[in-house]
Amino acid sequence: ELMEILIDAARRGKEVTVVVELMARFDEEANLNWAARLEEVGAHVVYGVVAHKTHAKMAMVVRREDTASGTVLKRYAHVATGNYHPSTARQYTDFGLLTANEELCADVNEVFKQLTGLGRAARMRYVWQSPFTLHKRIVQAIRDEARNAREGRPARVIAKMNALLEPLIIEELYAASQVGVEIDLIVRSVCALRPGIAGLSDNVRVRSVVGRFLEHSRVFFFHADGAEKVYLSSADWMDRNFFRRIELCFPVLDPALKRRVLREGLQPHLDDNCQAWVMDADGDYQPLKPRRARRRSAQEELLYTLSTPS
């Protein structure tokens, strides 16, 4: 377990800093116990930012490594859509990215500096962060798609999340639909947007996939005039995530990994006709009835992918 590994690292003299969230639903007592154990072995424990729940999922390892030009400090960052929790890791679907990209690592380092009180919010190259930049960046990305559609270029938004409630985001999606942006939303839980309303959301489709695993990953795709930008995030499109939490949204930069996220994280859910429920213009959900010869299940494809040697 990750916490035991951190405790062991601190015992071995490594510098360990852990941000422990005390407002974690159902886990407050457990987190306090872990914090006490970490402090006992000399780890630096931080309890987040006042009035903002720390919902971001990130880790960083800094190593001293020997290179041809001498000894250097090398950073490795892990950023994810889901918690570092052994139980949810077995029951939820999530994405995690382990990277040595120096600019991404520098962004993650900036967030840790903020949370530990060692620095002010700085401009970051790749990472979008709540409560500072995430909301306006998402709004701008949707507006960029709308501009491309008005100019006659292909425009598409695909977004997978747990919930969609934030009013301005919904307004921007409606506006984008009205100028021809094709929008597919995979929203497992509550969704305040209504698809398929003539003159308002003709080009929006909303579906929810419910199966053996809880669909927890947040994946955002923007056509971006052919650049096809893919982002992973800890944040749903809700007021609390944008304005009252510490959240991260980060790009998938490697082309091969980007294709994998699209292939495993989005397309199977758009193709699912077994466990998908599709919202109509009244906000009601209807199950899709699969044709026998074309049965597609996103979660069955996930299990097959996990059981097939790469």
Side-chain angles (χ1 to χ4, degrees), residues 102-238:
E102 184 52 38
E103 291 172 313
L104 264 176
C105 288
D107 285 355
V108 173
N109 187 62
E110 285 296 326
V111 179
F112 272 118
K113 284 169 61 178
Q114 296 169 25
L115 294 175
T116 57
L118 298 177
R120 300 179 61 182
R123 185 179 181 88
M124 289 184 278
R125 173 74 184 275
Y126 287 118
V127 170
W128 302 346
Q129 180 191 1
S130 290
F132 304 113
T133 59
L134 178 54
H135 183 258
K136 64 183 180 182
R137 295 283 191 170
I138 295 291
V139 167
Q140 188 59 54
I142 298 171
R143 289 177 178 174
D144 289 344
E145 294 300 315
R147 184 191 66 243
N148 290 337
R150 285 193 297 269
E151 295 174 357
R153 297 197 293 271
R156 182 124 192 250
V157 175
I158 309 173
K160 180 179 183 293
M161 67 199 78
N162 291 291
L164 171 55
L165 291 174
E166 205 283 312
L168 181 57
I169 296 290
I170 293 173
E171 290 178 13
E172 294 295 337
L173 290 169
Y174 283 147
S177 170
Q178 291 170 43
V179 297
V181 179
E182 294 294 327
I183 302 170
D184 284 285
L185 303 173
I186 307 160
V187 186
R188 176 181 57 82
S189 184
V190 61
C191 177
L193 180 147
R194 294 293 177 263
I197 299 176
L200 179 67
S201 56
D202 310 67
N203 296 308
V204 184
R205 295 159 293 276
V206 177
R207 58 172 46 208
S208 175
V209 177
V210 179
R212 171 179 174 180
F213 301 105
L214 187 142
E215 292 294 340
H216 193 253
S217 56
R218 292 87 167 183
V219 185
F220 312 140
F221 168 88
F222 304 99
H223 186 267
D225 201 22
E228 297 192 334
K229 296 181 179 180
V230 175
Y231 294 86
L232 303 175
S233 181
S234 61
D236 294 311
W237 288 358
M238 303 171 67

Side-chain angles (χ1 to χ4, degrees), residues 39 48 79 169 182 246 254 276:
E39 289 178 330
V79 278
I169 296 290
E182 294 294 327
I246 308 298
D254 182 87

Side-chain angles (χ1 to χ4, degrees), residues 56-88:
K57 297 87 170 63
M58 58 181 186
M60 174 169 284
V61 174
V62 182
R63 300 180 64 207
R64 186 177 291 107
E65 297 185 356
D66 293 326
T67 68
S69 57
T71 302
V72 299
L73 292 178
K74 181 72 174 178
R75 294 190 287 204
Y76 300 88
H78 182 267
V79 278
T81 66
N83 298 325
Y84 296 124
H85 193 293
S87 177
T88 57

Side-chain angles (χ1 to χ4, degrees), residues 1-14 16 18 20 30-31 33-41 43 84-86:
E1 188 172 290
L2 178 61
M3 298 301 275
E4 294 287 1
I5 294 171
L6 291 172
I7 290 170
D8 184 59
R11 286 197 181 112
R12 292 171 179 266
K14 309 300 181 184
V16 176
V18 181
V20 176
N31 285 358
N33 291 335
W34 282 120
R37 289 188 59 190
L38 286 161
E39 289 178 330
E40 286 174 1
V41 295
Y84 296 124
H85 193 293

